[in-house]
Amino acid sequence: AQTVTQSQPEMSVQEAETVTLSCTYDTSESDYYLFWYKQPPSRQMILVIRQEAYKQQNATENRFSVNFQKAAKSFSLKISDSQLGDAAMYFCASKQGGSEKLVFGKGTKLTVNP
Amino acid sequence: DAGITQSPRHKVTETGTPVTLRCHQTENHRYMYWYRQDPGHGLRLIHYSYGVKDTDKGEVSDGYSVSRSKTEDFLLTLESATSSQTSVYFCAISSLGSSGANVLTFGAGSRLTVL
């Protein structure tokens, strides 16, 4: 069975600084995908970044990047130059190849201080 | 909302009453999902559909049924609502990226309160 663990219920960062959100996962498959979703107070779920397990290169989307450590089953999200609009709940999720089921972690609430 | 509409957006009902939540998409995507979100649990999959009349259970399917008679509509029914089903319900559709990763696009959510 897939599991996704986010060990930080809450994190805070100063505006313009960098923060890293942790995520570990467990899967028995070699073919899988990993995601970070953002949920601002509007409640809308927004895809931030995704990573294919077969790719060694870490995914990057503007100020958002991941540190994918496959052997350690770790998938952390780094937010650079944090902005007030980054304040949200962040969910890590995984999907096994061939399955349509996306499994989410419990989320990390990020506060950005001005 | 990228072509996904959930209705109703808010509902308060009493224990034992039936409730149906509707998810409507204009994207013609094959896959549709219902998730529930509760504090301390993140999002959990209730049911999903991989085509008209084709559905499967997720991890928290007890007490819920679904139907998909048209590509664009996916209905979630609570036959007899209980207080434990008080939650925010999200519909999602699957948008396969070029890599084949299953990127979900979510609706705005439906908040259900069962008294």
Side-chain angles (χ1 to χ4, degrees), chain A residues 42-43, chain B residues 1 5-11 107-112:
Chain A
S42 66
R43 215 168 60 193
Chain B
D1 287 343
T5 304
Q6 290 185 229
S7 59
R9 293 289 313 279
H10 302 273
K11 185 172 182 67
S110 296
R111 181 177 292 278
L112 175 67

Side-chain angles (χ1 to χ4, degrees), chain B residues 82-104:
Chain B
T82 67
S83 58
S84 65
Q85 293 175 311
T86 293
S87 186
V88 179
Y89 292 86
F90 284 94
C91 176
I93 60 176
S94 173
S95 312
L96 289 178
S98 58
S99 64
N102 184 23
V103 176
L104 296 190

Side-chain angles (χ1 to χ4, degrees), chain B:
Chain B
D1 287 343
I4 306 177
T5 304
Q6 290 185 229
S7 59
R9 293 289 313 279
H10 302 273
K11 185 172 182 67
V12 179
T13 190
E14 294 189 349
T15 298
T17 60
V19 176
T20 295
L21 305 180
R22 178 180 183 240
C23 178
H24 178 78
Q25 61 146 332
T26 58
E27 307 290 320
N28 201 35
H29 286 301
R30 179 181 173 192
Y31 293 93
M32 298 183 75
Y33 308 79
W34 277 108
Y35 282 84
R36 62 178 287 176
Q37 183 178 21
D38 305 289
H41 288 279
L43 280 83
R44 293 178 291 173
L45 181 64
I46 305 172
H47 283 279
Y48 69 99
S49 170
Y50 47 96
V52 173
K53 295 192 171 131
D54 292 324
T55 64
D56 203 354
K57 295 179 179 180
E59 61 181 308
V60 289
S61 59
D62 288 347
Y64 301 95
S65 62
V66 290
S67 65
R68 192 160 176 209
S69 58
K70 299 184 290 185
T71 299
E72 57 266 34
D73 289 325
F74 191 33
L75 304 180
L76 177 70
T77 297
L78 292 65
E79 300 289 348
S80 178
T82 67
S83 58
S84 65
Q85 293 175 311
T86 293
S87 186
V88 179
Y89 292 86
F90 284 94
C91 176
I93 60 176
S94 173
S95 312
L96 289 178
S98 58
S99 64
N102 184 23
V103 176
L104 296 190
T105 301
F106 286 84
S110 296
R111 181 177 292 278
L112 175 67
T113 301
V114 183
L115 301 176

Side-chain angles (χ1 to χ4, degrees), chain A:
Chain A
Q2 293 180 87
T3 60
V4 176
T5 302
Q6 294 179 249
S7 59
Q8 307 153 315
E10 296 187 21
M11 291 281 287
S12 63
V13 63
Q14 291 296 126
E15 195 175 2
E17 306 222 324
T18 296
V19 65
T20 298
L21 308 184
S22 300
C23 173
T24 58
Y25 62 93
D26 194 15
T27 177
S28 56
E29 300 291 324
S30 59
D31 177 25
Y32 58 92
Y33 303 89
L34 299 166
F35 307 84
W36 279 98
Y37 279 87
K38 169 185 178 181
Q39 186 179 43
S42 66
R43 215 168 60 193
Q44 183 70 46
M45 293 287 288
I46 303 164
L47 177 69
V48 176
I49 200 166
R50 70 184 184 206
Q51 174 82 42
E52 293 84 355
Y54 61 85
K55 289 188 177 179
Q56 293 187 335
Q57 187 172 6
N58 288 327
T60 298
E61 289 288 342
N62 301 314
R63 298 182 294 106
F64 298 87
S65 61
V66 298
N67 183 6
F68 176 42
Q69 300 289 326
K70 193 170 184 177
K73 295 185 176 178
S74 171
F75 183 61
S76 59
L77 175 70
K78 185 172 84 171
I79 306 173
S80 303
D81 186 25
S82 297
Q83 300 176 359
L84 295 178
D86 295 333
M89 284 289 289
Y90 286 82
F91 292 94
C92 180
S94 74
K95 181 190 99 70
Q96 295 181 169
S99 169
E100 291 308 317
K101 299 178 181 180
L102 194 60
V103 176
F104 286 84
K106 295 182 180 181
T108 297
K109 181 180 180 180
L110 177 67
T111 300
V112 180
N113 300 310

